Amino acid sequence: MNGQPEFLPMTVEEADRLGIDRFDVILISGDAYVDHPSFGTAIIGRVLRDAGYSVGVIAQPDWHSDADFRRLGEPRLFFSVSAGNVDSLVNAFTPNLKRRSSDVYSPGGRLLRPDRATLVYTDRVHALFPKTPVVIGGIEASLRRFAHYDYWSDSVRQSILADAPADLLVFGMGERQVVAIADRLAAGESAGSLTNIPGTACRVDLKTWRSMDQAGYVVLPGYAEVKEDRYAYARAFALHYNEQDPLRGRRVAQPHPKTVVIQNPPAMPLSGDELDRVYELPYARRAHPSYTEPIPALEPVRFSVVSHRGCFGACSFCALTHHQGRIIQSRSIDSIVREVERMAKMPEFTGVVQDVGGPTANMYAIHCGRWETAGTCPDRRCIDCPALDRSHTEQLRLLRRLSEIPGVKRVFIASGIRYDLIGLGDEEYLSRISADHVSGHLKVAPEHVSARVTACMGKPPRAVFDAFRERFEALQQGKRKRQYLVPYLMSGHPGCRMEDMVELAEYVRDTGLYTEQVQDFTPTPMSISTTIYHTGLDPFTLEEVYIPKGREKRIQRALMHYRDPANYALVREGLHAAGREDLIGSAWKCLVPARGRKRRL
């Protein structure tokens, strides 16, 4: 861990000062270089450096010319290419496919990355350095590793590995993989021989595939078939979804017109000690000093802490099963304390730890005895399993330790909690979180209240949220300054009809819940919901599912903001479509006034 520079070098001059005449690995990213453990480039670069390799960074290169790609020369081992922390198209477009006017991962929010950045960067670097191995990774590559529905072109695209001139694709959290790749290339192996590294995908030509022993492979319907046949697409998704466990997953192959993409089983999760080491590397928690404008994405997370990885929530619209996996990997309390102690010494630190969490904050230290030896169960959801140890004792102990650190005034949980993990015996936990670790608003994600929609989303039914909301409200009794629930809600999800959105709007009306956190469903690659959106089929049962599209999606979103006069016309249209004209008018229960009449305040 010792001997790492304050920042990984971005120029030859920085490399010279460090005594580097040729880099072992060069990382190319669609994000600005921020040396913070919430940014993938920083983690991968620091891990490689910790393993003894010299690492350079080319951040947001100008893809219109060769100069930026040549800036650091040719690496000894490989180029690593990533679109950044977010899929470049998710980053560039709203759910309504309107182009965004800024990029929070760029200096000053400027637009500096191309669409489909992984492909663009890989094409350029391969053309300039055709003999140097190229490894692609990050969320964009990870979730496009098989043939996938692409919302932005409304088409089924090939695996990104079939389109990009890359030697390997790293999926999931890539620390194990990149070090293994570097070690084997440094030992003299060729890139073409690196076909068996867990957590990677490679490709073979059709002739080689036909001559291989295919026993033990799960062979998906090929690209040509899934492109034309929605049933084949749904079957292919279900097949590879079931192989995403690191202990029981098998190799998965999918034929394409010119190649066959092969995914190895996922990499084993990092142990607690390994995770501690990764997050205790000497991150500067600042943007590289070459930037003269702030990076907007940094400030909300600068003093946040990652406590764990993984999520067993199994929400249909989330692709974490394919990326971080269902097994929870938690850091030690001592390690997190040391990280916050270092943060507290920074001159910019004001005493507030902005967030302590992971994909779901209160999954920290939750454990199942099967995970180490057998992996996750193939026939059940962890979130519903009575054998799961749901204790929040360790999270409370962690929060207590952090709160006692000199210079720390408040420790917040901003990443949200899974309310259905808070049992009736957890009143102390709910009380402590509400009193000490929420800044006035507790974020939770019921997403919907309609039974058929929550079932399609993989979310708990309305009764579970109602019970939690009542418990939370009971804690507010007698408080001089009350707190509020901020529910994340979603419109336009597969299975959601107009009457379901009217039901949700009425629920918001009757409960008085805050509704700013409304998301219009976006079909991002490799989620269950995206497969349903594209095919109209549940991929596991092949049953038909209703899909709202086009104008109906706009109306569904408007129903969540029915109080806004700008939405009155769309809300009326939705209420007529649902046969709920009784909600138009001036009565107390009405959502919008009749046309031409003003709402009574």
Side-chain angles (χ1 to χ4, degrees), residues 160-372:
I160 195 170
L161 197 53
D163 288 334
D167 297 274
L168 280 176
L169 180 154
V170 168
F171 65 90
M173 308 302 282
E175 294 95 348
R176 288 195 189 282
Q177 298 95 302
V178 293
V179 172
I181 292 167
D183 286 348
R184 290 177 61 173
L185 290 175
E189 293 190 52
S190 67
S193 69
L194 308 184
T195 60
N196 61 350
I197 298 174
T200 67
C202 60
R203 60 171 178 256
V204 298
D205 61 70
L206 295 170
K207 182 178 179 181
T208 301
W209 169 248
R210 285 191 286 265
S211 67
M212 288 170 54
D213 179 2
Q214 299 173 18
Y217 285 80
V218 175
V219 182
L220 308 181
Y223 170 71
E225 188 177 0
V226 301
K227 183 180 180 181
E228 302 298 333
D229 183 344
R230 65 189 182 119
Y231 285 91
Y233 187 103
R235 287 197 306 273
F237 179 86
L239 285 169
H240 65 70
Y241 183 90
N242 289 329
E243 303 302 329
Q244 299 310 313
D245 184 272
L247 280 88
R248 56 180 173 78
R250 296 170 290 177
R251 300 182 92 191
V252 180
Q254 186 174 49
H256 284 65
K258 296 181 179 180
T259 192
V260 176
V261 173
I262 296 175
Q263 177 204 276
N264 290 302
M268 287 296 293
L270 297 182
S271 68
D273 289 344
E274 290 171 322
L275 208 58
D276 288 351
R277 186 176 183 89
V278 167
Y279 284 99
E280 288 194 73
L281 293 170
Y283 304 97
R285 291 185 175 268
R286 298 181 177 96
H288 189 273
S290 62
Y291 297 114
T292 58
E293 299 170 284
I295 314 300
L298 172 59
E299 290 312 312
V301 300
R302 184 193 292 266
F303 297 113
S304 65
V305 179
V306 173
S307 60
H308 63 285
R309 290 180 178 175
C311 181
F312 51 76
C315 299
S316 300
F317 48 80
C318 178
L320 264 174
T321 297
H322 275 83
H323 194 65
Q324 288 194 9
R326 290 162 57 187
I327 296 174
I328 304 301
Q329 309 136 63
S330 298
R331 295 173 61 188
S332 70
I333 291 177
D334 287 344
S335 172
I336 298 171
V337 167
R338 288 191 294 269
E339 182 177 354
V340 174
E341 286 174 339
R342 287 192 298 274
M343 281 172 26
K345 295 176 181 176
M346 294 178 64
E348 304 96 326
F349 185 68
T350 62
V352 176
V353 178
Q354 295 164 301
D355 184 30
V356 180
T360 301
N362 62 326
M363 287 187 185
Y364 175 73
I366 288 183
H367 183 69
C368 174
R370 287 178 49 90
W371 285 346
E372 284 87 354

Side-chain angles (χ1 to χ4, degrees), residues 3 13 33 36 60 65 70 120 146 163 171 180 215 253 272 290 321 355 374 417 425 434 510 568-569 586:
E13 291 75 20
Y33 170 37
H36 188 286
Q60 300 185 308
S65 70
R70 292 187 182 277
V120 173
F146 294 113
D163 288 334
F171 65 90
S290 62
T321 297
D355 184 30
I417 62 171
S434 301
D510 296 343
Y568 283 176
S586 57

Side-chain angles (χ1 to χ4, degrees), residues 43-64:
I43 286 187
I44 294 301
R46 291 290 185 187
V47 166
L48 282 165
R49 178 87 187 195
D50 187 47
Y53 296 101
S54 58
V55 181
V57 175
I58 300 175
Q60 300 185 308
D62 178 2
W63 69 96
H64 298 103

Side-chain angles (χ1 to χ4, degrees), residues 55-196:
V55 181
V57 175
I58 300 175
Q60 300 185 308
D62 178 2
W63 69 96
H64 298 103
S65 70
D66 298 344
D68 281 350
F69 295 93
R70 292 187 182 277
R71 184 195 312 151
L72 300 182
E74 183 176 18
R76 184 172 68 92
L77 299 177
F78 65 93
F79 282 100
S80 169
V81 175
S82 167
N85 270 15
V86 182
D87 183 284
S88 59
L89 294 177
V90 173
N91 198 57
F93 291 91
T94 70
N96 292 326
L97 298 178
K98 293 181 179 178
R99 190 170 284 279
R100 301 185 195 274
S101 58
S102 63
D103 182 343
V104 297
Y105 291 96
S106 297
R110 289 180 288 128
L111 301 176
L112 298 175
R113 90 181 76 209
D115 295 345
R116 308 190 191 282
T118 304
L119 289 174
V120 173
Y121 294 158
T122 305
D123 281 342
R124 177 67 74 175
V125 76
H126 177 71
L128 294 173
F129 304 98
K131 295 182 180 180
T132 304
V134 179
V135 177
I136 58 176
I139 196 77
E140 181 166 280
S142 181
L143 299 185
R144 293 175 181 267
R145 61 187 182 266
F146 294 113
H148 56 279
Y149 173 71
D150 182 82
Y151 175 59
W152 299 268
S153 62
D154 191 25
S155 65
V156 176
R157 290 179 64 95
Q158 296 190 121
S159 161
I160 195 170
L161 197 53
D163 288 334
D167 297 274
L168 280 176
L169 180 154
V170 168
F171 65 90
M173 308 302 282
E175 294 95 348
R176 288 195 189 282
Q177 298 95 302
V178 293
V179 172
I181 292 167
D183 286 348
R184 290 177 61 173
L185 290 175
E189 293 190 52
S190 67
S193 69
L194 308 184
T195 60
N196 61 350

